[in-house]
Amino acid sequence: MSRLGPGLILALIVGFAFLYLPILTLIAYSFNASRLVTVWGGFSTHWYGALMQNQPLLDAAWLSIRLGFVSATLATILGTLAALALARHGRFRGRLLFSGMVLAPLVMPEVVTGLSLLLLFVAVDVERGFWTVTIAHATFSLGFACIVVQSRLAGFDRSLEEAAQDLGATPFVTFWTVTLPLIWPAVAAAWMLAFTLSLDDLVIASFTTGPGATTLPMRLYSAVKLGVSPEINAACTIMIGAVAVVVIAASLLLKREQASGR
């Protein structure tokens, strides 16, 4: 096994420092007793208590979680169906147009996507709010979910489905009992990716939202324009902790499944 050269090691250190030092700094200053985020005033958890009293920020966080859950579920269902159509039905008529429409949001600037959806909602006279943002996020995340599931279907063993159908299973029963359990890790990964994209989005939500539907990124962005508050650091630290817990839990479950499969 070849060893890493000093230049490559230095590049890795600089790269990881560039990625994670700002996050570690944010976490550290979330425990800062001073209101000035650039001046250390001692260790304190005061801002976490203040965050729990910040009702507008809590409402925005709860809205973003509900929005991400619904939009990710819609995007995953539609993306899985689109992936099945693209992976199983060969070169059907309109395949190029269909795949282009599904995957277009991946390469289209978010400003263009948000503006086009805004014009659509205005044209059909739909009141903008929770459901318009949900539709927008599902549309944006659909292509990502489709790619993740389609990559799993590309190496899928079709003989398992054929064996189930030879034993009398209908196409729906075959999909539900054979195909879906085998592609479930990809479906779960697609859902988590869609949920993350929805939770992180600012641009598209800014175009498609309405009164009473302010997401957490929008609330944080509007608060940052008036100055960075330690409560924002506390909110971001909680989000980082939640993501870390989910990643660690997923890794442990994956290792357990691999160990049991041996």
Side-chain angles (χ1 to χ4, degrees), residues 236-248:
C236 294
T237 301
I238 292 175
M239 293 176 63
I240 294 170
V243 171
V245 169
V246 171
V247 171
I248 293 173

Side-chain angles (χ1 to χ4, degrees), residues 79-89 149-150 153 161 175 179 183:
T80 301
L81 295 176
L84 286 170
L86 293 173
R88 296 294 174 81
H89 295 287
V149 178
Q150 188 177 1
L153 289 171
E161 295 178 329
F175 172 78
T179 308
I183 66 172

Side-chain angles (χ1 to χ4, degrees), residues 149-167:
V149 178
Q150 188 177 1
S151 64
R152 176 65 183 89
L153 289 171
F156 188 83
D157 187 3
R158 295 290 302 275
S159 62
L160 300 175
E161 295 178 329
E162 294 172 356
Q165 293 177 354
D166 289 340
L167 293 173

Side-chain angles (χ1 to χ4, degrees), residues 41-55:
F43 182 86
S44 174
T45 58
H46 167 73
W47 301 112
Y48 287 88
L51 174 63
M52 295 299 104
Q53 303 300 323
N54 192 334
Q55 196 59 42

Side-chain angles (χ1 to χ4, degrees), residues 17-182:
F18 178 78
L19 290 174
Y20 292 106
L21 273 180
I23 297 177
L24 295 176
T25 303
L26 181 146
I27 295 173
Y29 275 96
S30 70
F31 297 98
N32 185 12
S34 174
R35 177 173 287 276
L36 301 176
V37 294
T38 57
V39 178
W40 181 257
F43 182 86
S44 174
T45 58
H46 167 73
W47 301 112
Y48 287 88
L51 174 63
M52 295 299 104
Q53 303 300 323
N54 192 334
Q55 196 59 42
L57 197 60
L58 295 177
D59 292 340
W62 175 236
L63 176 69
S64 293
I65 292 174
R66 290 189 289 119
L67 180 66
F69 183 85
V70 177
S71 63
T73 302
L74 289 175
T76 303
I77 293 174
L78 297 176
T80 301
L81 295 176
L84 286 170
L86 293 173
R88 296 294 174 81
H89 295 287
R91 295 187 172 276
F92 57 87
R93 180 176 297 180
R95 175 189 173 89
L96 182 61
L97 177 62
F98 177 73
S99 61
M101 293 177 64
V102 171
L103 303 179
L106 274 68
V107 296
M108 190 176 299
E110 292 186 14
V111 174
V112 176
T113 303
L115 180 58
S116 61
L117 289 170
L118 171 62
L119 295 176
L120 172 65
F121 294 141
V122 171
V124 298
D125 194 21
V126 175
E127 183 179 357
R128 293 185 298 279
F130 176 85
W131 288 109
T132 54
V133 182
T134 299
I135 294 172
H137 282 183
T139 303
F140 172 69
S141 306
L142 170 61
F144 293 93
C146 178
I147 286 181
V148 172
V149 178
Q150 188 177 1
S151 64
R152 176 65 183 89
L153 289 171
F156 188 83
D157 187 3
R158 295 290 302 275
S159 62
L160 300 175
E161 295 178 329
E162 294 172 356
Q165 293 177 354
D166 289 340
L167 293 173
T170 62
F172 177 79
V173 173
T174 301
F175 172 78
W176 190 257
T177 59
V178 178
T179 308
L180 185 59
L182 293 175

